[in-house]
Amino acid sequence: MSTSSVSKGCFVFKPSSKKRRISSPTADYFSQGKNDSEDSGLRFASCQLLWKQINSETEKIQEELNKQLFDNLIRFLRQSHSEFQTKTTEWMCRMKSSEIPTAALVLGVNVTDHDVTFKSLSEVLQDNVTPYVVSLQAKECPGIKHLLQKLMGQLMDCYVDADSSEEEECVNISQKKIRCSMASLSKWYESVTKKTGSETPSKKRTSSSRHWQSPPVVVIFKDMESFTTKVLQDFIVISSQHIHEFPLVLIFGIATSPMIIHRLLPHSVSSLLCIELFQSLSCKEHLATVIDKLLLTTQFPFKLSEKVLQVLINIFLYHDFSVQNFIKGFQLSIVEHFYSQPLSVLCCQLLEAKKRVNSLSHNQCENIRSLPSFRRYVESQVSEKQIALLTEDSSLKEVTQTLLEDLHIYHENYFTVLRCLHVFTTSLPKYPLGKQIRELHCACLGKSVWETEEYESAIQLLRMLAKDELVAILQKCAEIFISPSGKQFSNTVEKLEEFLARFQNLEAETNEVQDVSVSSQKELQKKTDLYHLQKTLLALKESKRSKKLTKFEMLRFEVVDFIDSLVRSYLAPAEMQTLNEVVYFNTANTLREHLNAAPRIALHTALNNPYCYLKNQTLKSDVGCISNTAPDICIVYKLHLECGRLINLVDWLEAFSTVVTAVEGTDPDAVATDQVDEIIHARFIRAVSELELLGFIKPSKQKTDHVARLTWGGC
């Protein structure tokens, strides 16, 4: 529709009234658009199963990595608790000095991972040590009153009113008010322990099997750096006065350095703490373990391409050092792969994938034929087989099963040889192929690693390794190939054992070399004439050039050439494997858009084109038109884009009413301007308030019935 006018203005075109189709974008996520296929439910189920398996494996990894740290903390608590129980001389001395046992737990700068660690720590302590574990955060404790309220509220399992007045420093327990103080806490602990001690022997035996007798009260400060100095000082001073009444243990969660304790607390307060330092595993070591257990294994069929893995690693290294965010990115890749790839139905364990191949429909067979890797495979076959693969579904299914099995074998061999190569490269100076195995993995995924300069440099350095180093490396490689993951390499193991035996048989070639060098030096010392000296040096130089390699040098070259042949045979890039698209997610741009979000662009897209996110067909509209089915805030946003610096609220409301009434089937011309429906007026006010909250407009001081626009330009 076109318009012609002498003056410029804002025109609203009323589209025809249509009934809005109600649908659930979340429920239909796997069955919309290009993914509307008969196997969407199966793909969604496979995605959920893989998600659960990865979550379970991640929890196991977290538990294994934290086991030693938690054991040390429990040992520290046991030592402090035993001293309190037996009232030893050391504890009596500590009572006199009012020292509180304190564990300084250094977790690193990956703050987003701390919650998972503290949650696991609380569960371990509550299961094995004491039921009295309190976790405090700085944002919940702006003052000592709030800290004591949170402390007693968590210990006594009662509700604490955060809006209580300053005079009401108490908590409600069974319709009774208890004042929030350390004295009240001491009385409560005494009553609880007496009650536990008076239980029947059977109940007492059950409780003592899980918790200690007279269990300590553990207070965890999750983010010590964020607590104000006054709150910490007041709490420590008050607690030190009651340390002889009940066993209190503090755990400080530290992200930076243990020196922060002495920066926040003066000596008079820090001297009241008996501090012991505990260091958690570094986030880089944690990430290396996660990559090794989740990515460099055949346990999970889903894989990441080199570009996608590099995106996740770059976000980890240059943004937050968060392993949990890395895992979330990995899980997001799983969802995107199963959503965007119709053939991801075959991304499962090998036996299950072979069964699913037999039930593939004709459309799915056509999807296989359209894969670039499968096209390359077809072009390499003879003409008769090409015709069968392109025309007969049964022949295609048989070949697909074989190719999936070959892909599985490729991954088994790839990860084994990759670990062997990593053992060799990490023994070299300056690590030409990277120190971490993830760096070597990325180098092998992207292209043929043997064609890179870094690999050539590594091979040259390997040819200069000493005998002891080379023997130690070969022994490690033999262990890798003997392991269950290297069961296909029996011949390789025999070859490595042969190399080791030959190295043992090599003994003293060095004695002859040393004898020759000594005799040549004596000759040089005898000849003092410059001419004869120069002649002798030239002769020695020529002899070195024509000198044959020793047995050790020949054997070393043979070992390096053998490793090089393994690399060229088994570390081919993943993109060269047929059907790699089934298990590899390679859309790095999509993942980067999700993880490295641009808020303004995302907000503009959501308000200007809600269909982009909601995927509701009724929200589709032509460019420049305002859809009458869009949410109110989207309508108001599009109308405000057509206005100048100041927006007249009355004109804005009339335009909004015109669009909204069109969808409801009413005639907007029959309604007077000053008699706009109250419901529409309320919807308009709410939408404008939301725009103001998002920062697009603000009230104007020049005119009371106008608002000022704050954003300009396109995204």
Side-chain angles (χ1 to χ4, degrees):
M1 187 181 295
S2 61
T3 59
S4 59
S5 176
V6 177
S7 61
K8 295 181 180 180
C10 174
F11 301 92
V12 178
F13 300 103
K14 296 176 292 184
S16 59
S17 176
K18 297 180 181 178
K19 291 185 178 180
R20 185 179 301 183
R21 183 176 66 89
I22 300 176
S23 63
S24 174
T26 305
D28 300 337
Y29 186 74
F30 274 81
S31 60
Q32 286 183 352
K34 60 182 179 181
N35 298 286
D36 189 9
S37 59
E38 65 275 9
D39 63 344
S40 59
L42 185 58
R43 281 190 287 138
F44 182 69
S46 301
C47 178
Q48 280 187 319
L49 177 61
L50 185 59
W51 184 292
K52 291 178 181 178
Q53 291 174 347
I54 288 176
N55 274 340
S56 176
E57 185 66 22
T58 303
E59 291 175 359
K60 290 181 182 178
I61 294 171
Q62 187 78 25
E63 184 178 350
E64 292 173 1
L65 294 178
N66 290 332
K67 186 178 185 305
Q68 184 177 0
L69 175 65
F70 292 170
D71 290 344
N72 293 335
L73 281 169
I74 292 175
R75 192 179 301 112
F76 169 75
L77 291 174
R78 181 179 289 110
Q79 181 181 358
S80 303
H81 178 262
S82 62
E83 293 168 0
F84 175 82
Q85 271 191 323
T86 58
K87 303 294 184 181
T88 60
T89 306
E90 185 177 352
W91 181 264
M92 299 301 292
C93 295
R94 186 181 296 172
M95 284 170 53
K96 291 178 181 179
S97 60
S98 302
E99 287 186 353
I100 306 173
T102 305
L105 181 55
V106 182
L107 296 174
V109 295
N110 50 329
V111 181
T112 50
D113 295 341
H114 292 185
D115 285 338
V116 178
T117 304
F118 284 122
K119 182 181 178 182
S120 302
L121 176 60
S122 299
E123 292 174 354
V124 169
L125 294 179
Q126 289 175 343
D127 290 340
N128 303 301
V129 179
T130 173
Y132 312 127
V133 180
V134 179
S135 297
L136 301 176
Q137 286 183 295
K139 62 181 180 181
E140 300 174 347
C141 307
I144 186 63
K145 182 198 75 168
H146 301 87
L147 190 149
L148 292 175
Q149 283 182 344
K150 288 290 181 183
L151 174 63
M152 298 190 68
Q154 291 188 36
L155 285 176
M156 302 176 187
D157 293 328
C158 60
Y159 173 73
V160 178
D161 187 7
D163 298 328
S164 59
S165 62
E166 292 294 329
E167 292 80 9
E168 296 179 355
E169 297 182 5
C170 53
V171 294
N172 296 323
I173 303 176
S174 302
Q175 299 180 352
K176 293 182 181 180
K177 286 190 174 183
I178 296 181
R179 185 175 180 81
C180 292
S181 64
M182 295 303 291
S184 302
L185 183 60
S186 299
K187 292 179 181 178
W188 169 83
Y189 181 81
E190 184 179 358
S191 64
V192 169
T193 51
K194 282 184 178 179
K195 183 179 179 181
T196 306
S198 61
E199 289 179 350
T200 60
S202 59
K203 290 184 179 181
K204 188 175 180 180
R205 194 181 305 112
T206 304
S207 62
S208 62
S209 62
R210 294 178 60 246
H211 300 137
W212 299 345
Q213 187 179 3
S214 299
V217 176
V218 180
V219 181
I220 301 174
F221 293 85
K222 289 185 175 181
D223 45 351
M224 184 196 177
E225 290 95 339
S226 301
F227 278 87
T228 59
T229 303
K230 188 176 186 329
V231 171
L232 288 174
Q233 289 184 22
D234 292 346
F235 178 74
I236 293 171
V237 171
I238 295 172
S239 301
S240 65
Q241 298 172 1
H242 297 270
I243 190 62
H244 61 282
E245 299 174 3
F246 66 96
L248 175 66
V249 180
L250 306 182
I251 297 179
F252 289 154
I254 300 173
T256 52
S257 169
M259 293 301 296
I260 193 67
I261 298 176
H262 301 287
R263 292 178 186 173
L264 289 176
L265 305 175
H267 177 70
S268 59
V269 178
S270 61
S271 61
L272 299 176
L273 303 175
C274 180
I275 303 174
E276 186 168 337
L277 183 63
F278 297 89
Q279 179 74 52
S280 68
L281 193 69
S282 69
C283 53
K284 289 186 178 181
E285 293 175 351
H286 191 172
L287 177 67
T289 306
V290 168
I291 291 178
D292 185 65
K293 299 288 186 180
L294 297 183
L295 300 182
L296 305 182
T297 177
T298 56
Q299 180 181 356
F300 304 109
F302 177 76
K303 308 296 177 188
L304 298 179
S305 68
E306 182 262 340
K307 291 183 179 179
V308 173
L309 181 57
Q310 201 61 54
V311 167
L312 294 178
I313 292 175
N314 287 342
I315 292 175
F316 172 84
L317 292 176
Y318 302 118
H319 285 76
D320 52 13
F321 287 105
S322 174
V323 179
Q324 295 301 319
N325 288 346
F326 179 90
I327 295 172
K328 289 178 182 178
F330 180 56
Q331 293 174 331
L332 179 60
S333 303
I334 294 174
V335 175
E336 283 293 334
H337 178 70
F338 279 90
Y339 171 65
S340 60
Q341 176 56 263
L343 292 173
S344 60
V345 67
L346 302 178
C347 183
C348 55
Q349 297 299 329
L350 181 60
L351 294 177
E352 180 65 23
K354 286 184 175 182
K355 293 179 182 178
R356 294 183 181 182
V357 168
N358 294 326
S359 60
L360 291 178
S361 65
H362 177 71
N363 291 335
Q364 291 168 326
C365 291
E366 290 298 324
N367 289 334
I368 293 178
R369 295 186 178 104
S370 64
L371 294 177
S373 63
F374 189 78
R375 290 180 183 177
R376 291 196 303 266
Y377 174 78
V378 172
E379 291 172 358
S380 64
Q381 305 299 313
V382 295
S383 58
E384 292 81 3
K385 194 168 185 179
Q386 288 181 357
I387 295 173
L389 290 174
L390 296 176
T391 57
E392 300 176 7
D393 290 349
S394 59
S395 177
L396 175 68
K397 292 178 182 179
E398 292 178 5
V399 173
T400 301
Q401 289 180 339
T402 305
L403 292 175
L404 288 174
E405 186 174 356
D406 293 342
L407 187 61
H408 179 75
I409 295 174
Y410 159 78
H411 285 132
E412 287 184 341
N413 298 338
Y414 174 89
F415 295 133
T416 305
V417 177
L418 181 73
R419 297 181 195 281
C420 177
L421 180 61
H422 181 247
V423 172
F424 272 91
T425 56
T426 50
S427 64
L428 301 177
K430 296 185 179 180
Y431 310 108
L433 287 172
K435 185 177 181 181
Q436 301 291 338
I437 193 171
R438 56 179 169 79
E439 298 172 333
L440 181 60
H441 179 51
C442 288
C444 296
L445 277 180
K447 52 188 175 181
S448 301
V449 68
W450 56 85
E451 296 178 355
T452 61
E453 295 181 2
E454 293 82 4
Y455 181 81
E456 291 295 332
S457 175
I459 289 295
Q460 291 178 4
L461 292 173
L462 287 176
R463 291 196 173 107
M464 293 186 289
L465 282 178
K467 177 184 174 182
D468 295 338
E469 288 181 301
L470 196 55
V471 169
I473 292 172
L474 287 177
Q475 289 174 346
K476 292 180 181 179
C477 288
E479 293 175 359
I480 293 173
F481 286 116
I482 292 173
S483 64
S485 60
K487 56 186 177 182
Q488 307 288 338
F489 293 93
S490 57
N491 295 332
T492 304
V493 173
E494 293 178 1
K495 191 69 175 176
L496 292 176
E497 291 176 349
E498 178 189 343
F499 285 140
L500 290 172
R502 291 169 64 183
F503 273 117
Q504 290 177 356
N505 295 332
L506 283 175
E507 288 188 359
E509 281 284 335
T510 56
N511 294 334
E512 298 178 5
V513 176
Q514 289 177 356
D515 293 341
V516 172
S517 61
V518 169
S519 61
S520 61
Q521 288 176 2
K522 289 181 179 179
E523 290 180 4
L524 288 175
Q525 291 174 359
K526 291 179 182 178
K527 298 175 182 178
T528 56
D529 183 61
L530 181 61
Y531 171 76
H532 290 91
L533 181 62
Q534 187 175 6
K535 188 176 180 180
T536 306
L537 289 173
L538 288 173
L540 285 173
K541 188 176 181 181
E542 289 295 329
S543 65
K544 286 183 178 180
R545 287 182 180 177
S546 60
K547 176 185 169 184
K548 292 183 179 180
L549 296 174
T550 63
K551 291 183 179 180
F552 165 70
E553 291 172 339
M554 294 174 62
L555 183 56
R556 182 173 57 186
F557 272 69
E558 192 175 344
V559 170
V560 175
D561 291 340
F562 177 72
I563 298 299
D564 182 48
S565 65
L566 289 178
V567 171
R568 294 175 184 269
S569 300
Y570 297 107
L571 294 188
E575 62 182 13
M576 301 304 296
Q577 307 304 312
T578 309
L579 299 185
N580 69 85
E581 298 91 345
V582 173
V583 297
Y584 277 88
F585 176 68
N586 51 18
T587 314
N589 291 334
T590 303
L591 186 64
R592 190 181 292 110
E593 289 175 1
H594 286 307
L595 299 178
N596 289 344
R600 185 187 174 192
I601 297 177
L603 196 58
H604 172 78
T605 304
L607 296 176
N608 195 46
N609 183 21
Y611 172 78
C612 180
Y613 291 101
L614 299 179
K615 302 299 181 184
N616 192 327
Q617 297 294 330
T618 59
L619 296 178
K620 278 188 174 181
S621 61
D622 297 332
V623 179
C625 295
I626 302 177
S627 174
N628 52 11
T629 59
D632 294 343
I633 188 173
C634 298
I635 298 174
V636 171
Y637 177 78
K638 283 190 174 183
L639 291 173
H640 115 284
L641 291 178
E642 301 172 354
C643 301
R645 187 177 66 86
L646 293 177
I647 306 175
N648 191 321
L649 287 173
V650 177
D651 297 339
W652 201 3
L653 174 60
E654 289 181 357
F656 176 78
S657 176
T658 303
V659 176
V660 170
T661 52
V663 70
E664 295 175 353
T666 58
D667 185 7
D669 298 331
V671 182
T673 305
D674 55 349
Q675 297 177 350
V676 178
D677 187 86
E678 293 182 358
I679 297 178
I680 297 178
H681 195 180
R683 289 166 59 184
F684 173 76
I685 292 175
R686 182 179 64 181
V688 171
S689 300
E690 290 173 349
L691 276 188
E692 182 181 357
L693 180 64
L694 293 174
F696 289 102
I697 59 174
K698 71 173 183 178
S700 174
K701 295 181 179 179
Q702 298 179 2
K703 298 180 179 179
T704 56
D705 59 342
H706 286 64
V707 293
R709 183 177 172 184
L710 299 178
T711 58
W712 304 90
C715 294

